[in-house]
């Protein structure tokens, strides 16, 4: 019968004819027959099954084997013996070089017929040894899957005892070597099925014998932490982790992170490879294990590992959001990586270029998964905006991309940031920030944030960029009488000459710290600035340093020497004077008091009593405010001197009003355009101001009907105030309380005008602190009215200055904007400070008024073209005045708070200007003292040594990181394969090649 069957199978008959003949043979096999015939048929069916060159032949062999196993069990048991199986497993079947791949399938098929036979136990014992030997030979995924299928159905064949642990470990090593070469979806699905069968076997073993889990995990960690492997282990190992019970997670992670035998390089390699597992589809709990290990490393303060791994892997994790099948796990890992990386903006900033494209791709996908991902991504981005404010130029495209998505409130943001930080102790991460490889391309140097010290950093950078003040400080000779000024000199010198990307202002902070400030808490930068200038002023006044300096130089007349004896550097640079006049409205007696100032605190005009709050006003209590998005205001087309929306302090009817001179902003004008004459209220001399076509950009920065401007606030500050009702004035002449009018007049403009916008207040009705979030337009150039007495001799100021024909008159002092300190947040006790600055032209380099209008005009044009910089703690970048003007439009909580203006040399306030000019020109370019130069030189050498050491350490870390496919290919593939599916099947949604996702 075996000859007949073989002839039929090998014949050239059509398959349907063959099938009929074979069917007759199989039916005949169900009848009793002798042992020899059975043996011959079993040999033939074994040959067909194991070496058949077609699927049809193997199917016939299988059918015959099943019939003989069922109808001739004794003969089958005799044939299917231990010796035969051992030969199959160890020697294979078929000619050399063409051994059959179906031995395990054959054994699996035959086992069902000998389960109750006396030889079953011997066969099980054999298989326990042989399957262990097989996995030690590192078979591929298909053979391992066959072993898994065999042992899942016949658990009696699973190795036991120590062999079971070894079997699990070797099986994991096999999985670590699995590779799928084909890019076809069918082949990939088959590969995934093989991996699931093998990992499913591990799950079955672990459920029955939990003692095998930890040794298996140890082997897994050994594989992924190896730094010697030429090729990275397969991501298929992710399928193993998903079956580890989560209740073991804490203990496993604790043991790993506290194991001293594991080096940092091994740990970094392991966590890097685990993060790559987010690419593995259909895996469960993989993200939980990755996050748990990251948290475990944070708990033992392995911050170097966390930083390197986050910066090297976060872009790849981010790119996996393109794929619906792995999106949920990738998003969880991304959220933890970003929310925990709070000591630096580096990780978040790596993602900024890719956010708009990802958002566009998710919107195009239009699925529930994509919609959910967009909402969570937007929440994450706003958390990062909140944590790392002060980068408006970088954030603008990202904000535009997510502007239509929901915005979390501040409580939600603080909750997310608070629960995910690596550590609550900021000083533990101080040594890791900044991670700057080189100086900023701007050539400027940043300042390290020492724990909510951005308020100080912004003020220091603004003072440093005030070039006249900086040069004066650097020119001062060393004196023990001014310790704070000496520290400021050292800090300025390092900012000028250091090779470091950023320096620590720790020494200056401790010396200039106001005693009522709380360590580690956010403070008011304006309050700090006032305290700093007062301290510097009092120290210099006590030490008589200016007098000694000028006396030794012998460059000035005795008159000027006496004049300088009474003036400190702070007074010369920032000091101005104003006169406050109060006029009794009954007797018309006027009392006046002159006082000095270093800054003007500008209040916002109150809301109109009869009318609605203007649309642009956004005064919200801290507790209720959250991030908002507002449209940028329309730029006004014409120059506006005073905002009509501002409330004017009114005069008493029937009384002579106090003369007002309003602040002006100056703008470019077209050729041939006539300049509007100045109102008599603006210029008591009644003369038209000289035409100045290149003075600053005012058309784009002055207020419109629905926005405020700096001139509005200054005009409100200088406008009359009525003292009535409970606020009546006690008139000495009348000897009683009377209605009165109070007005402030500037009598001396400072060289550097500091303006503080009073945005913070305490609402007594709601008992809540609030911030005025109004967008205040900032002019690049403004004119400030200063009252000048006519008795001044002509040799002090040129006779061509504008002044009143009678006793006194106002002159318009021109100021150029040089720094803007921005507060990001909704409370003075929180938020972040950063500043915009431009390099002011030195006094000595500017043209004097006598040089002629043409030269002055050309230099004003140069002023406009000066480069702006953005100082945000350690980061310094190029910026523009356009960014200064639009920052609040894009980021409503980022509002200008302190402004620095530098007085322009010209026809006005010549005495004041000459003082500053002389102070700067006294020694020309700054010449640092010997000790200071040596300190800077030594620190630069030390920095180079630190860089060399860090480069070596970093090279060791980076070499330990496993090489993986370039993450940006995911984005490129998404762009090229827009029609392809991102998951298994058409319902998965768009987003890239499936093969590229997994492998």
């Amino acid at each position: 019968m075996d000859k007949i069957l073989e002839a039929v199978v090998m014949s050239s008959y059509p398959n349907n004819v063959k099938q009929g003949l074979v069917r007759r043979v199989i039916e005949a096999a169900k009848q009793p027959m002798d042992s020899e015939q059975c043996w011959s048929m079993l040999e033939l069916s074994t040959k067909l099954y194991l070496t058949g060159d077609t699927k049809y032949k193997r199917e016939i062999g299988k059918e015959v084997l099943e019939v003989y196993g069922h109808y001739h069990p004794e003969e089958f048991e005799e044939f299917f013996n231990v010796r035969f199986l051992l030969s199959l497993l160890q020697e294979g079947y078929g000619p050399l070089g063409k051994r059959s791949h179906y031995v395990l399938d054959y054994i699996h098929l035959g086992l069902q017929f000998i389960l109750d036979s006396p030889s079953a136990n011997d066969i099980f014992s054999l298989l326990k040894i042989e399957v262990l030997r097989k996995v030690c030979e590192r078979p591929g995924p298909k053979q391992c899957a066959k072993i898994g299928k065999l042992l899942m159905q016949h658990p009696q064949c699973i190795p036991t005892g120590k062999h079971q642990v070894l079997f699990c470990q070797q099986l994991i090593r096999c999985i670590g070597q699995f590779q799928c070469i084909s890019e076809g979806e069918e082949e990939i699905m088959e590969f995934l099925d093989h991996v699931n069968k093998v990992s499913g076997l591990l799950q079955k073993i672990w459920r029955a014998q939990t003692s095998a889990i930890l040794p298996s995990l140890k082997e897994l960690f050994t594989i992924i932490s190896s730094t010697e492997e030429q090729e990275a282990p397969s991501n298929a190992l992710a399928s193993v982790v998903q079956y580890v019970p989560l209740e073991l997670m804490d203990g496993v992670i604790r043991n790993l992170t506290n194991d001293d035998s594991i080096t940092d390089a091994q740990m970094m390699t392991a966590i890097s490879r685990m993060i790559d597992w987010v690419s593995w589809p259909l895996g469960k709990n993989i993200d939980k294990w990755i996050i748990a290990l990251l948290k475990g490393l944070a708990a033992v303060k392995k911050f170097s590992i966390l930083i390197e791994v986050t910066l090297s892997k976060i872009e790849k994790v981010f790119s996996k959001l393109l794929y619906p099948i792995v999106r949920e796990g990738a998003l969880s890992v991304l959220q933890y990586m970003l929310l925990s990386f709070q000591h630096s903006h580096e990780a978040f900033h790596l993602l900024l270029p890719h956010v708009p494209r990802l958002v566009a791709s998710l919107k195009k996908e239009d699925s529930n998964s994509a919609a959910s991902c967009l909402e969570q991504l937007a929440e994450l981005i706003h958390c990062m905006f909140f944590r790392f404010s002060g980068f408006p130029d970088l954030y603008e495209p990202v904000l535009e991309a997510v502007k239509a998505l929901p915005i979390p409130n501040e409580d939600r943001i603080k909750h997310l940031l608070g629960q995910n930080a690596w550590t609550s102790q900021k000083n533990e991460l101080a040594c890791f920030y900044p991670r700057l490889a080189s100086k900023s391309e701007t050539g400027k140097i940043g300042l390290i944030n020492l724990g909510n010290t951005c308020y100080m950093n912004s003020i220091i950078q603004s003072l440093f960029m005030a070039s006249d003040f900086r040069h004066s400080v650097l020119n001062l000779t060393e004196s023990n009488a001014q310790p704070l000024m000496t520290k400021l000199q050292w800090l300025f010198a390092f900012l000028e000459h250091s090779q470091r990307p950023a320096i620590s202002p720790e020494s200056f902070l401790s010396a200039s710290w106001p005693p009522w400030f709380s360590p580690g808490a956010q403070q008011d930068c304006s309050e700090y600035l006032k305290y700093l200038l007062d301290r510097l002023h009092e120290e210099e006044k006590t030490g008589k340093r200016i007098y000694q300096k000028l006396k030794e130089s012998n460059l000035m007349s005795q008159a000027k020497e006496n004049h300088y004896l009474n003036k400190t550097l702070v007074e010369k640079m920032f000091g101005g004077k104003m006169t406050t006049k109060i006029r009794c409205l009954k007797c018309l007696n006027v009392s006046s008091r002159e006082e000095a100032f270093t800054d003007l605190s500008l209040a916002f005009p109150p809301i109109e009593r009869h009318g609605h709050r203007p649309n642009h006003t956004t005064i919200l209590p801290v507790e209720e405010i959250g991030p908002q998005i507002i449209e940028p205001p329309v730029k006004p087309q014409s120059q506006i001197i005073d905002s009509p929306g501002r409330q004017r302090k009114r005069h008493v009817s029937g009384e002579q009003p106090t003369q007002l001179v309003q602040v002006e902003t100056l703008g470019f004008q077209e050729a041939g355009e006539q300049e509007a004459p100045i109102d008599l209220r603006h210029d008591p001399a009644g003369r038209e101001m000289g035409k100045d076509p290149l003075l600053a950009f005012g058309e784009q920065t002055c207020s419109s009907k629905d926005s405020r401007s700096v001139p509005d606030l200054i005009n409100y500050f200088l406008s009359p105030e009525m003292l009535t009702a409970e606020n009546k004035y006690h008139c000495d002449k009348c000897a009683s309380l009377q209605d009165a009018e109070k007005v402030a007049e500037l009598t001396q403009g400072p060289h550097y005008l500091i303006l503080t916008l009073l945005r913070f207040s305490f609402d007594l009705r709601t008992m809540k602190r609030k911030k005025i979030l109004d967008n205040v337009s900032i002019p690049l150039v403004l004119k400030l009215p200063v009252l000048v007495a006519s008795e001044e001799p002509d040799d002090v100021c040129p006779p061509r200055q504008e002044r009143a024909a009678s006793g006194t008159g106002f002159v318009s002092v021109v100021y150029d904007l040089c720094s803007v300190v921005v507060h990001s947040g909704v409370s003075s006790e929180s938020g972040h400070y950063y500043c915009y600055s431009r390099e002011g032209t030195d006094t000595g380099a500017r043209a004097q008024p006598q040089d002629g209008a043409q030269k002055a005009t050309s230099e004003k044009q140069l002023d406009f073209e000066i480069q702006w910089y953005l100082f945000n703690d350690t980061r310094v970048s190029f910026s523009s005045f356009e960014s200064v003007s639009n920052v609040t439009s894009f980021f409503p909580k980022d509002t200008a708070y302190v402004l620095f203006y530098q007085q322009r040399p010209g026809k006005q306030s010549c005495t004041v200007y000459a003082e500053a000019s002389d102070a700067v020109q006294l020694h020309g370019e700054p010449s640092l003292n010997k000790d200071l130069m040596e300190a800077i030189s030594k620190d630069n050498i030390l920095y180079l040594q630190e860089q060399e050491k860090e480069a070596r350490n970093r090279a060791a870390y980076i070499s330990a990181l496993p090489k993986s496919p370039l993450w940006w290919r995911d984005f490129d593939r998404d762009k090229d394969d827009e029609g392809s599916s991102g998951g298994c099947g058409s319902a998965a949604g768009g987003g890239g090649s499936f093969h590229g996702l997994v492998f």
Side-chain angles (χ1 to χ4, degrees):
M1 190 178 292
D2 58 301
K3 301 295 183 184
I4 297 173
L5 179 62
E6 186 173 12
V8 170
V9 172
M10 299 300 177
S11 70
S12 59
Y13 294 135
N15 282 347
N16 59 338
V17 175
K18 290 183 183 180
Q19 191 64 35
L21 296 173
V22 169
R23 191 58 48 200
R24 291 182 184 180
V25 173
I26 291 176
E27 288 299 322
K30 296 178 182 179
Q31 305 302 318
M33 61 178 62
D34 60 60
S35 177
E36 184 178 349
Q37 184 64 41
C38 285
W39 196 277
S40 298
M41 287 296 291
L42 286 170
E43 284 184 336
L44 176 62
S45 58
T46 297
K47 178 182 177 182
L48 290 173
Y49 187 87
L50 290 175
T51 61
D53 54 0
T54 64
K55 185 177 181 180
Y56 176 71
K57 292 178 182 178
R58 292 195 298 274
E59 285 294 328
I60 292 175
K62 177 183 177 183
E63 285 188 53
V64 174
L65 282 170
E66 289 175 337
V67 168
Y68 277 83
H70 184 74
Y71 290 98
H72 307 280
E74 292 181 2
E75 288 79 1
F76 187 89
E77 180 183 346
E78 184 181 355
F79 179 83
F80 201 77
N81 59 65
V82 171
R83 182 177 296 178
F84 174 59
L85 294 183
L86 182 62
S87 173
L88 284 178
L89 289 167
Q90 291 189 356
E91 300 175 13
Y93 189 94
L96 288 175
K98 291 185 178 181
R99 297 298 191 189
S100 174
H101 299 296
Y102 301 99
V103 169
L104 289 171
D105 304 87
Y106 177 82
I107 293 173
H108 189 188
L109 176 65
L111 279 179
Q112 59 184 310
F113 301 111
I114 55 93
L115 293 177
D116 298 324
S117 69
S119 64
N121 288 332
D122 293 335
I123 293 176
F124 293 154
S125 298
L126 170 68
L127 289 176
K128 286 178 183 179
I129 297 172
E130 285 302 308
V131 293
L132 176 58
R133 185 184 61 79
K134 277 285 184 184
V135 297
C136 289
E137 293 174 354
R138 304 286 182 270
K142 183 177 288 189
Q143 290 299 311
C144 283
K146 290 178 179 180
I147 293 174
K149 184 179 179 182
L150 170 65
L151 300 186
M152 288 285 283
Q153 190 167 345
H154 301 287
Q156 309 95 318
C157 302
I158 297 176
T160 55
K162 292 181 180 180
H163 286 172
Q164 186 178 81
V165 172
L166 181 60
F167 176 77
C168 291
Q169 292 174 329
Q170 294 302 315
L171 199 58
I172 290 172
R173 286 210 167 264
C174 289
I175 297 174
Q177 293 186 357
F178 285 177
Q179 298 295 334
C180 180
I181 308 302
S182 173
E183 294 191 8
E185 189 162 330
E186 266 190 43
E187 290 83 356
I188 292 173
M189 295 303 297
E190 183 183 27
F191 174 78
L192 292 174
D193 182 59
H194 293 156
V195 174
N196 286 335
K197 281 186 171 67
V198 179
S199 59
L201 173 61
L202 285 171
Q203 180 192 26
K204 185 178 183 70
I205 296 173
W206 290 346
R207 281 181 176 174
Q209 196 68 38
T210 55
S211 61
I213 297 177
L214 292 181
S216 301
L217 290 181
K218 186 174 181 180
E219 189 70 17
L220 173 64
F221 186 81
T222 301
I223 296 169
I224 63 175
S225 65
S226 173
T227 58
E228 299 174 358
E229 297 288 340
Q230 295 296 320
E231 190 173 345
S234 171
N235 283 347
L237 287 170
S239 64
V240 175
V241 175
Q242 67 180 332
Y243 294 124
V244 180
L246 292 179
E247 54 266 24
L248 297 179
M249 182 183 290
D250 290 343
V252 170
I253 298 299
R254 189 164 52 250
N255 289 338
L256 279 178
T257 54
N258 288 281
D259 189 342
D260 294 334
S261 66
I262 300 173
T263 66
D264 284 358
Q266 289 174 322
M267 183 62 77
M268 186 162 63
T269 302
I271 186 61
S272 297
R273 287 170 172 164
M274 284 182 68
I275 290 173
D276 288 340
W277 292 350
V278 297
S279 303
W280 186 255
L282 308 176
K284 299 177 182 178
N285 301 327
I286 296 172
D287 55 322
K288 293 183 176 65
W289 280 95
I290 295 172
I291 294 171
L293 184 52
L294 292 172
K295 287 182 176 179
L297 292 172
V300 295
K301 299 179 173 50
K302 294 286 187 179
F303 300 127
S304 295
I305 297 176
L306 290 168
I307 290 171
E308 292 292 347
V309 168
T310 301
L311 294 179
S312 64
K313 292 295 181 181
I314 194 165
E315 289 173 284
K316 184 172 184 180
V317 174
F318 183 80
S319 70
K320 299 309 171 189
L321 299 182
L322 288 167
Y323 305 95
I325 200 168
V326 297
R327 183 174 291 151
E328 184 179 355
L331 185 58
S332 295
V333 175
L334 178 71
Q335 284 174 325
Y336 179 77
M337 292 175 84
L338 271 185
L339 291 172
S340 62
F341 202 93
Q342 292 188 33
H343 71 289
S344 166
H345 54 257
E346 287 175 278
F348 178 50
H349 284 192
L350 286 174
L351 305 181
L352 294 180
H354 317 300
V355 171
R357 188 192 292 186
L358 176 66
V359 170
S361 178
L362 292 175
K363 287 180 178 178
K364 184 178 179 181
E365 182 181 316
D366 192 24
S367 66
N368 291 335
S369 169
S372 174
C373 181
L374 276 172
E375 288 189 9
Q376 294 180 72
L377 183 62
E379 181 178 71
L380 193 58
I381 288 171
H382 282 289
C383 285
M384 295 298 100
F385 283 168
F386 182 89
R387 179 64 186 86
F388 304 116
S389 56
F391 301 94
D393 298 343
L394 282 176
Y395 293 168
E396 187 178 323
V398 177
L399 186 64
E400 181 68 21
V402 301
K403 67 181 181 181
L405 298 171
I407 301 172
N409 60 44
E410 189 166 337
D411 288 340
R412 170 67 176 165
I413 290 174
K414 289 180 177 178
H415 171 71
L416 290 173
L417 291 172
Q419 70 177 7
N420 288 289
W422 284 337
T423 173
S424 59
Q425 304 299 320
K426 293 182 177 61
N427 59 338
E428 290 182 339
L429 286 166
C431 59
F432 299 105
Y433 184 66
R435 258 181 49 103
L436 301 173
S438 60
K439 223 174 186 179
S440 163
E441 61 181 352
T442 64
K444 304 296 181 184
I445 297 175
L447 290 169
I448 296 173
N449 191 313
L450 302 174
N452 281 329
T453 58
C454 53
Y455 66 91
M456 178 190 71
N457 291 350
S458 299
I459 292 299
I460 290 175
Q461 294 285 20
S462 297
L463 293 175
F464 177 80
M465 293 297 286
S467 54
D468 289 343
F469 177 67
R470 176 177 77 243
H471 287 174
S472 297
V473 170
L474 293 175
N475 272 321
L476 295 174
T477 57
E478 191 172 2
S479 170
N480 294 330
Q482 289 182 269
L484 185 58
M485 183 65 81
T486 300
K487 287 186 180 294
L488 182 62
Q489 184 185 48
W490 277 62
L491 184 56
F492 277 7
F494 272 83
L495 286 174
E496 183 94 5
H497 299 289
S498 178
Q499 294 299 314
R500 294 181 182 273
I503 60 176
S504 171
E506 186 173 4
S507 177
F508 188 77
L509 173 65
S510 60
S512 64
W513 182 276
W516 59 90
F517 277 14
S518 301
Q522 185 60 277
Q523 306 295 343
D524 188 328
C525 75
S526 174
E527 186 178 4
Y528 174 77
L529 175 60
K530 289 183 177 71
Y531 177 80
L532 175 61
L533 294 180
D534 286 346
R535 280 276 309 275
L536 293 172
H537 168 68
E538 291 300 325
E539 275 193 1
E540 186 174 344
K541 193 174 179 182
T542 302
K544 305 291 186 183
R545 184 169 187 172
I546 295 294
Y547 168 73
Q548 295 170 4
K549 187 179 182 72
L550 298 179
K551 187 175 181 180
E552 291 168 3
S553 67
N554 199 25
L555 295 177
M556 304 186 73
S557 65
Q558 185 64 37
K560 286 195 173 183
E561 181 178 331
N562 292 335
H563 182 72
Y564 264 84
L565 179 62
N566 299 317
K567 282 233 173 183
T568 65
L569 179 59
V570 169
E571 286 178 305
K572 290 200 301 293
M573 291 293 167
F574 305 103
K577 290 182 181 179
M578 78 167 100
T579 299
T580 303
K581 298 179 180 179
I582 301 178
R583 182 179 59 160
C584 175
L585 296 182
K586 182 178 180 182
C587 68
L588 301 182
N589 180 60
V590 177
S591 63
S592 63
R593 182 182 76 257
E594 186 178 63
E595 54 188 344
F597 67 88
T598 53
D599 79 310
L600 296 180
S601 298
L602 305 180
F604 283 70
I607 303 164
E608 297 288 353
R609 179 176 299 177
H610 303 291
H612 298 287
R613 180 191 301 271
N615 291 333
H616 67 280
T617 305
T618 50
I619 305 179
L620 297 175
V622 170
E623 289 78 2
E624 298 175 9
I625 190 161
Q628 305 172 42
I629 295 179
I630 62 173
E631 295 297 325
V634 178
K635 294 178 180 178
Q637 298 300 312
S638 60
Q639 180 177 340
I640 299 173
I641 301 299
D642 188 22
S643 171
R646 194 184 75 72
Q647 179 178 341
R648 167 72 54 195
K649 299 177 189 175
R650 63 183 182 84
H651 301 283
V652 176
S653 178
E655 298 293 344
Q656 178 68 27
T658 302
Q659 192 176 43
L660 298 178
V661 179
Q662 289 186 304
V663 179
E664 300 176 61
T665 56
L666 305 176
F668 291 119
Q669 298 174 355
E670 297 295 335
E673 181 182 348
Q674 296 297 317
E675 187 177 21
I678 303 298
D679 191 280
L680 285 178
R681 294 186 307 150
H682 300 172
D683 184 9
R687 301 173 185 171
E688 183 177 351
M689 297 294 289
K691 194 169 183 180
D692 196 0
L694 292 174
L695 280 178
F697 219 51
E699 295 169 2
Q700 299 184 28
T701 58
C702 296
S703 63
S704 62
K705 289 184 179 180
D706 58 351
S707 68
R708 301 178 190 267
S709 69
V710 170
D712 290 341
L713 303 188
I714 299 178
N715 285 330
Y716 179 71
F717 176 83
L718 296 176
S719 63
E721 177 184 0
M722 301 307 302
L723 305 178
T724 60
E726 295 180 356
N727 199 27
K728 284 187 176 184
Y729 164 68
H730 185 276
C731 177
D732 292 337
K733 189 173 182 179
C734 298
S736 61
L737 294 173
Q738 297 293 338
D739 289 345
E741 185 183 55
K742 177 182 177 182
V743 68
E745 295 173 340
L746 301 178
T747 56
Q748 179 181 307
H751 183 57
Y752 285 103
L753 174 66
I754 300 175
L755 303 176
T756 301
L757 311 188
L758 297 179
R759 292 186 174 275
F760 303 109
S761 62
F762 188 82
D763 193 329
L764 294 174
R765 292 178 302 168
T766 60
M767 300 303 290
K768 293 179 180 178
R769 290 190 177 276
K770 59 185 180 182
K771 176 183 175 181
I772 302 173
L773 296 174
D774 291 21
N775 188 1
V776 177
S777 60
I778 305 168
L780 191 56
V781 178
L782 63 80
K783 288 182 179 179
L784 194 67
V786 177
L787 189 65
V788 177
S790 62
E791 297 85 51
E792 290 182 348
D794 288 342
D795 63 346
V796 176
C797 288
R800 62 187 178 132
Q801 71 170 343
E802 296 144 5
R803 55 171 51 190
S806 57
T808 58
F810 284 95
V811 296
S812 294
V813 182
V814 181
Y815 281 91
D816 297 303
L817 182 68
C818 55
S819 287
V820 178
V821 178
V822 177
H823 177 264
S824 175
V826 292
S827 168
S828 59
E829 293 88 6
S830 63
H832 179 64
Y833 289 99
Y834 57 94
C835 77
Y836 292 94
S837 290
R838 67 170 184 168
E839 192 80 66
T841 306
D842 295 346
T843 301
R846 291 180 182 258
Q848 297 302 316
Q850 295 85 348
D851 291 343
Q854 185 175 0
K855 188 172 182 180
T857 298
S858 66
E859 286 173 350
K860 289 165 190 172
Q861 186 172 11
L862 290 175
D863 274 354
F864 175 69
E865 295 171 353
I866 291 176
Q867 176 69 56
W868 282 85
Y869 303 95
L870 176 58
F871 294 89
N872 188 358
D873 289 333
T874 56
R875 189 178 186 273
V876 187
S877 57
F878 289 115
S879 191
S880 65
F881 181 65
E882 183 181 6
S883 179
V884 180
S885 305
N886 295 332
V887 63
T888 307
S889 301
F890 286 103
F891 300 91
K893 294 194 301 178
D894 291 28
T895 53
Y897 184 41
V898 179
L899 314 177
F900 288 74
Y901 280 89
Q902 182 179 11
Q903 188 181 132
R904 177 177 292 186
K907 299 178 280 187
Q908 66 283 345
S909 299
C910 304
T911 304
V912 176
Y913 204 92
E915 293 172 357
S917 178
D918 290 338
V920 174
Q921 289 180 332
L922 191 59
H923 289 277
E925 285 300 311
S927 177
L928 304 181
N929 65 65
K930 182 180 178 181
D931 290 344
L932 186 48
M933 286 301 296
E934 286 182 358
I936 294 172
S937 178
K938 287 180 180 178
D939 186 70
N940 286 339
I941 293 173
L942 177 62
Y943 170 66
L944 293 176
Q945 294 172 345
E946 291 172 356
Q947 287 293 93
E948 290 177 6
K949 183 178 179 181
E950 182 181 345
R952 288 194 297 269
N953 293 340
R954 183 167 171 76
Y957 268 103
I958 295 302
S959 64
L961 286 172
K963 293 180 175 59
S964 56
L966 299 177
W967 58 266
W968 57 79
R969 288 179 182 168
D970 291 313
F971 287 106
D972 294 338
R973 188 177 297 113
D974 178 57
K975 183 177 179 182
D976 298 336
D977 305 332
E978 291 182 351
S980 63
S981 172
C984 299
S986 58
S993 159
F994 187 67
H995 182 272
L997 162 68
V998 185
F999 313 108

